[in-house]
Structures are given as C-alpha cells and as structure tokens.
Amino acid sequence: MTTSNGRARHVAIIMDGNGRWAKQRGLPRVIGHRKGVEAVRELVRSLANLDIECLTLYAFSSENWKRPEDEIDDLMTLMRRFIRSDLPEFVANDVRLKIIGDWRSLAPDIVDMLEDALAQTAKGSRILAVALNYGSQQEIARAAAAAATKGPVTADSIAAHLDTADLPPLDLLIRTSGEVRLSNFLLWQAAYAEMLFVETRWPDFTPRDLITALDNFAKRERRFGGR
Ligand code: FPP
C-alpha cells in the first residue's frame, strides 16, 4: 500500500464560480472576479502557515479568450492591479512567483510586470504558480516538440519539458463550484493526483477550506498504480 504520508507538497486549484457567485447576488460578473482576487490574496497570505511547497492557480485559460471582450479586459485589469498591489507582500512573505502557460503572448505591459515580479521573487521558497493563457494540451504539445529536438520522445522527456518541470509532483487538484471536469488544466500532471471537487463558489473559498481539503487528502490512500 502506498499512502500520501499525509502531506501534500503541491496543490492546484481550478478557481471556478466567480460568475455564479455574482449572479446569485444580482451583481455584475466583474464583482465576482474582484471577490475572486480577494480569495486568492487570502490564500496566498495563508501559505506561510501551511506545510505545502507549491500552490498552482488556474487564473486564465487559453480558452478564456472566447469570453466577451469586456470580461477579458476586466480580468486583465484585475491581474495588473493584483501584481502591483501584492508584489511587495509576496517578497516579504518569501513567496516565489512562477508563471505557467503561454504568458509571453499576453499584453506587453503585463509581460513586463510579470518579468519584474519573477525577478523580484526569485529567492522565495514557497511557490505560487499562476497559470496564465494556459492550456494543458498546448503545454504537452510544446513539451513533446521540445523533447523531439533533443532525442527520443518518452514520458520522461516530455515531463522534463513541461512548464511545471521544476515544480514538485502534483498531489491534490481542487475544483470549486461544483463542476466535475479538468477543463484543460494540468492533464499530464494530474495522472496520479488526488482530486477534490467542492461546491463552494471560488469567492467564498477561504484558507480554512484549503486546510479542510488538506485534511481530506491526508486520509487518502495512494497506490500510484501499485497495490
Ligand atoms: C471562474 O469563474 C474564474 C475565472 C475565469 C478566472 C479566475 C480568476 C480570478 C480568481 C481572478 C484573477 C486572478 C488573479 C490571480 C489575479 P467563472 O467566471 O468561470 O464563473 P462561472 O462559471 O460561475 O461563470
């Protein structure tokens, strides 16, 4: 029997339900996203008290470009504000930012801000990985193409070229707001991850909910294909 030893090193979250949170309250979607950013902020603050090495958040998918232009603008504006306002806190709290996905094709000012944020947080020890313009199938295709330039394409050589190659193996994948699907997020990395689908809308998800999720993870028996 292989167990998790109780401890999750790497947790990833599909932050779903901002729109429904707002709709339930008769508010515009942007307010839901704004509240969603506040939930992110509280979670990142709580990292200092949690025994996990890496938190990966799905902030903007390669499919999110299909949303109306004004919603995309709102999300990008929130991103800019979040980096500007919270970067000093990341540095103070020993957080190392990592970005996965095709983020270099975002707006040039966002790319500049992210590059600056990566440089400023490079020495941090707790990793906050943010998936931006991220699609897992695209990531795997990029990794396979890169692996092919160097030699035989194998599972190991693809894994070594994924955006997450330098992160700990994914232990726990959480999705909020009731949908039970992966939506092109960390498909490769989730091969042996535990999954947890919760009903809570993302803006209502608190650090306490993450602790509950980690307690749930600690009780699971992991076999990694063995018995
Ligand atoms: C899902 O809600 C959420 C997103 C599309 C993006 C998540 C973004 C944030 C939490 C804010 C930006 C993040 C950072 C790190 C600055 P939805 O709109 O799909 O909700 P719905 O399914 O209820 O409509």
Side-chain angles (χ1 to χ4, degrees):
M1 177 180 89
T2 310
T3 65
S4 63
N5 294 326
R7 175 167 176 256
R9 295 175 66 197
H10 183 176
V11 179
I13 309 183
I14 302 175
M15 309 182 288
D16 195 12
N18 295 346
R20 278 162 285 171
W21 183 95
K23 193 170 180 193
Q24 274 174 339
R25 290 160 177 78
L27 297 168
R29 290 179 67 82
V30 65
I31 305 292
H33 291 313
R34 232 180 264 168
K35 281 285 185 186
V37 174
E38 284 175 29
V40 169
R41 179 173 292 127
E42 290 307 318
L43 215 57
V44 177
R45 283 182 179 155
S46 79
L47 281 183
N49 306 315
L50 296 174
D51 192 21
I52 60 176
E53 293 164 44
C54 178
L55 176 69
T56 299
L57 300 176
Y58 203 5
F60 194 87
S61 80
S62 39
E63 289 74 34
N64 284 154
W65 297 111
K66 295 180 201 149
R67 295 194 176 203
E69 210 175 306
D70 59 344
E71 184 174 357
I72 294 172
D73 287 348
D74 288 340
L75 285 167
M76 295 299 156
T77 300
L78 285 171
M79 204 90 70
R80 289 181 178 93
R81 280 195 205 141
F82 178 64
I83 302 164
R84 209 168 285 140
S85 62
D86 287 44
L87 181 56
E89 219 178 289
F90 288 1
V91 177
N93 293 334
D94 200 26
V95 169
R96 171 151 62 96
L97 187 66
K98 155 106 189 162
I99 315 288
I100 62 171
D102 188 12
W103 61 278
R104 284 189 179 82
S105 57
L106 293 173
D109 70 304
I110 296 187
V111 174
D112 287 350
M113 288 174 85
L114 291 172
E115 272 169 353
D116 177 50
L118 291 171
Q120 285 199 46
T121 61
K123 293 205 169 69
S125 56
R126 290 165 209 288
I127 305 166
L128 171 67
V130 183
L132 286 178
N133 198 14
Y134 177 87
S136 185
Q137 292 177 338
Q138 296 88 325
E139 178 199 28
I140 295 166
R142 278 199 308 274
T149 64
K150 296 189 184 155
V153 176
T154 63
D156 284 345
S157 74
I158 292 175
H161 289 88
L162 293 171
D163 297 356
T164 54
D166 56 343
L167 301 180
L170 181 63
D171 292 308
L172 175 63
L173 179 73
I174 302 169
R175 182 174 186 140
T176 61
S177 206
E179 310 295 343
V180 184
R181 56 176 172 260
L182 293 182
S183 300
N184 205 13
F185 187 50
L186 301 181
L187 303 178
W188 183 287
Q189 297 84 343
Y192 287 106
E194 295 294 316
M195 313 263 170
L196 184 64
F197 298 92
V198 298
E199 293 297 323
T200 315
R201 308 275 189 241
W202 175 251
D204 290 329
F205 192 90
T206 64
R208 170 56 44 198
D209 293 314
L210 179 57
I211 291 169
T212 304
L214 292 170
D215 288 345
N216 178 315
F217 172 84
K219 296 192 187 103
R220 296 194 187 188
E221 184 185 303
R222 300 177 84 193
R223 294 172 185 273
F224 300 96
R227 52 182 298 234

